[in-house]
Amino acid sequence: MFKLSFKSLIKNTNQNLSSSSSSSNGIKLFSFGSGWSGQLGLGDKVFEQFKPKQIEFDKDIILTENDKIKTGSYHALLVKDNGIHVWGENKFGQLGLGNFINHFKPIENKLILPLLQQQQQQQQQQQQQQQQQQQQGKEEEEIKIENVECGSFHTIISTNNNKTYSFGWNSRIQCGHNLKDSVVENINQPKEIEILKGKKVNTISCGFDFSIVSTVDNGVYIFGMNDCGQCNGILPSSVNSGGGGGGGGGGKNKIIIEPMENKSLNNIQIKKLSSGWGHTLLLTLDGELLSWGSNQHGQCGTGIKSKVSPITKIKIPNNLKVLDISCGSCVSAAILSDNNVYIWGSSGDGKLGLGSNQKDDLLIPTLLNTLTNYCGSTRHISFGSDHCVSLPINENENGVFYGWGFGQHGCLGFGDSIDQLKVYSTPEKNEFFQKNNFKILNMKSSIDTTFSLVSINKKI
């Protein structure tokens, strides 16, 4: 549902591999795909990029292998321990800059650092007071950003001292802010989420217009649209969604107006959450997988289709453990303990990767044998809306990625010819980084955009 139908207006395939800015240690960030709102981070003259191109940061910004890339529909963030750089669409305030101006190149969010500094000062004052009562106090801990996730048009950030902030589109309370009698529809700067004050966040997942936050003490908090059970797997008519608010035609009873704890998930040790347009996967620490929400294409993996799927444990083939998960719009994927990718959900636009003859949706996790037969074991997957990229375990291919699905806007990075801008119904190997002597550290997909964090391959 997120596909764009326009043809390419600008073709820019020139590569800039020699720039030294933001890469003195050899680590660089590349992007490719659609960039009409600036989400490529390549400037205001690049609206589509058909092969990977380096994103330029200020010269004093040094990228590291621990940096993380997070993406919304049309915005992106580079997350470092003590700061965030943002770019892309900002008409809902999802960049958190205090304005609603789009940015076509990375810009530092200068509202985040003062918050961290203020927290640091408060912590120091508290420690000084404690040390007056104790002969030996704990060593001061640096305040850092721990978790960041993006919904389509909103962003949530948590720090290591139990603070959680959000900003962006909030008309469906997906940022977790409700002023009782009215809804703040767009929040353009970081605002602390009241219900999460003092709670240490473990993992965050944001869908199109809903959010799920897991805390270390195993409390899971939900807020936002719930018209297909995407927050809690329960039909709206049978959940207390509060009153007032709304927006977007959702209806008052379809939105969880007051952020609340989902107690049905208590006592579950959560490793990771991943959400699509209207469904969520939950990976436990012991490798089990739960799902809930919209299931009209079988994306919840329960063996049936339904408008709403309740919280359900997914049966995993051969009793394997789950290592990692990723959701597309109406599709799901997982890496299991045999290091193979399993996939299920919508068959549209080739996103199942099982070939053009795969017309039916898949209702249960199914081996992506077209990938296994091609590259063997897999270490990483990342779904956009209708395309997916994966990284092989094979060290000899550490500069290679595989891609499949909807590739018309260059989000699979194969090039700009007619036969390259197409639906890829089976995984295809992309050797761009390998040929340019880069090792891929991580990849992240958005709707029609893909990012690669890479380093100079020192392997001889």
Side-chain angles (χ1 to χ4, degrees):
M1 65 177 292
F2 297 112
K3 298 190 297 292
L4 304 177
S5 60
F6 49 73
K7 292 184 177 180
S8 307
L9 296 181
I10 292 182
K11 296 183 178 181
N12 189 338
T13 60
N14 295 328
Q15 307 309 316
N16 185 2
L17 304 178
S18 60
S19 173
S20 60
S21 65
S22 68
S23 58
S24 63
N25 60 353
I27 296 178
K28 306 170 185 281
L29 180 65
F30 287 76
S31 65
F32 43 102
S34 178
W36 294 87
S37 296
Q39 65 267 38
L40 284 169
L42 299 174
D44 58 5
K45 292 181 173 57
V46 183
F47 300 130
E48 287 187 313
Q49 181 65 37
F50 304 106
K51 288 186 179 180
K53 185 175 182 180
Q54 184 184 346
I55 298 175
E56 297 293 334
F57 291 85
D58 291 340
K59 291 183 179 180
D60 60 339
I61 302 302
I62 305 300
L63 303 187
T64 75
E65 62 181 15
N66 294 322
D67 292 344
K68 299 178 179 63
I69 302 301
K70 300 296 180 178
T71 59
S73 288
Y74 306 111
H75 73 291
L77 291 76
L78 172 74
V79 183
K80 305 180 79 66
D81 282 345
N82 59 354
I84 293 178
H85 290 75
V86 299
W87 60 94
E89 184 184 71
N90 193 37
K91 71 177 182 179
F92 299 99
Q94 60 263 49
L95 299 183
L97 296 169
N99 57 47
F100 298 98
I101 301 170
N102 291 0
H103 286 271
F104 288 78
K105 290 185 176 181
I107 180 173
E108 183 181 2
N109 186 318
K110 294 185 178 180
L111 298 181
I112 299 292
L113 185 57
L115 283 175
L116 297 180
Q117 292 173 338
Q118 182 182 14
Q119 292 174 28
Q120 188 80 50
Q121 292 172 356
Q122 292 174 350
Q123 181 171 299
Q124 289 173 351
Q125 292 174 355
Q126 292 174 358
Q127 288 177 343
Q128 288 173 358
Q129 292 174 356
Q130 291 174 358
Q131 288 174 1
Q132 290 176 359
Q133 300 174 355
Q134 300 175 357
Q135 291 184 349
Q136 186 174 6
K138 286 187 177 181
E139 184 178 346
E140 177 183 316
E141 182 182 11
E142 181 182 1
I143 304 299
K144 295 181 179 180
I145 296 170
E146 282 199 336
N147 298 283
V148 179
E149 290 297 336
C150 301
S152 284
F153 309 108
H154 71 288
T155 305
I156 299 180
I157 297 172
S158 70
T159 63
N160 62 345
N161 69 330
N162 307 340
K163 301 282 187 179
T164 304
Y165 302 89
S166 64
F167 41 91
W169 183 37
N170 187 54
S171 65
R172 298 173 183 176
I173 321 297
Q174 59 266 49
C175 285
H177 303 295
N178 183 23
L179 295 181
K180 304 298 182 183
D181 297 327
S182 63
V183 174
V184 181
E185 293 193 352
N186 298 314
I187 301 166
N188 64 13
Q189 57 186 331
K191 181 178 175 63
E192 188 171 6
I193 301 175
E194 289 288 331
I195 197 171
L196 295 174
K197 280 188 174 181
K199 295 179 174 63
K200 186 171 183 60
V201 169
N202 173 39
T203 184
I204 303 168
S205 186
C206 300
F208 176 74
D209 52 5
F210 66 98
S211 303
I212 303 171
V213 179
S214 168
T215 62
V216 171
D217 62 5
N218 301 325
V220 177
Y221 294 84
I222 55 177
F223 35 96
M225 178 58 73
N226 196 47
D227 59 341
C228 54
Q230 53 264 61
C231 282
N232 57 10
I234 300 175
L235 285 168
S237 60
S238 59
V239 63
N240 181 13
S241 302
K252 294 180 180 179
N253 69 327
K254 296 181 179 180
I255 298 174
I256 295 181
I257 295 295
E258 296 291 342
M260 57 187 290
E261 184 178 0
N262 187 345
K263 295 184 178 180
S264 61
L265 295 174
N266 282 357
N267 303 317
I268 294 177
Q269 298 290 325
I270 299 175
K271 178 181 179 181
K272 183 178 181 179
L273 294 163
S274 180
S275 296
W277 176 84
H279 76 291
T280 295
L281 297 180
L282 184 158
L283 174 59
T284 69
L285 283 177
D286 57 3
E288 294 185 335
L289 192 60
L290 282 69
S291 68
W292 63 88
S294 176
N295 193 37
Q296 294 180 335
H297 294 278
Q299 61 264 45
C300 286
T302 60
I304 61 172
K305 290 184 180 181
S306 57
K307 179 179 180 180
V308 177
S309 178
I311 297 173
T312 304
K313 181 180 176 180
I314 298 177
K315 184 177 181 181
I316 301 301
N318 303 316
N319 294 317
L320 295 168
K321 297 296 184 181
V322 180
L323 302 180
D324 199 8
I325 53 176
S326 184
C327 291
S329 57
C330 301
V331 65
S332 303
I335 300 176
L336 302 190
S337 52
D338 60 356
N339 294 314
N340 289 321
V341 174
Y342 291 72
I343 201 160
W344 61 98
S346 171
S347 64
D349 294 317
K351 52 185 169 282
L352 291 178
L354 290 169
S356 57
N357 292 329
Q358 182 64 48
K359 306 295 185 183
D360 296 332
D361 297 340
L362 290 176
L363 309 185
I364 59 174
T366 302
L367 176 66
L368 183 55
N369 54 22
T370 50
L371 181 64
T372 300
N373 295 340
Y374 200 170
C375 74
S377 301
T378 297
R379 64 182 170 95
H380 176 75
I381 49 173
S382 180
F383 246 111
S385 177
D386 295 316
H387 77 285
C388 191
V389 293
S390 70
L391 298 176
I393 287 180
N394 187 351
E395 184 63 21
N396 293 324
E397 290 193 328
N398 62 18
V400 165
F401 71 89
Y402 294 80
W404 64 94
F406 187 80
Q408 274 91 326
H409 301 293
C411 56
L412 295 177
F414 288 112
D416 63 352
S417 65
I418 293 177
D419 63 332
Q420 292 169 326
L421 297 173
K422 64 179 183 180
V423 168
Y424 289 81
S425 60
T426 58
E428 293 283 342
K429 180 191 289 189
N430 190 313
E431 298 179 301
F432 173 86
F433 294 110
Q434 188 99 322
K435 291 178 179 179
N436 287 282
N437 198 37
F438 289 116
K439 174 182 178 179
I440 303 174
L441 301 174
N442 203 355
M443 296 190 75
K444 180 67 175 178
S445 297
S446 183
I447 286 185
D448 287 319
T449 311
T450 306
F451 298 89
S452 296
L453 187 68
V454 304
S455 63
I456 300 295
N457 198 341
K458 298 179 181 179
K459 182 178 178 181
I460 300 178

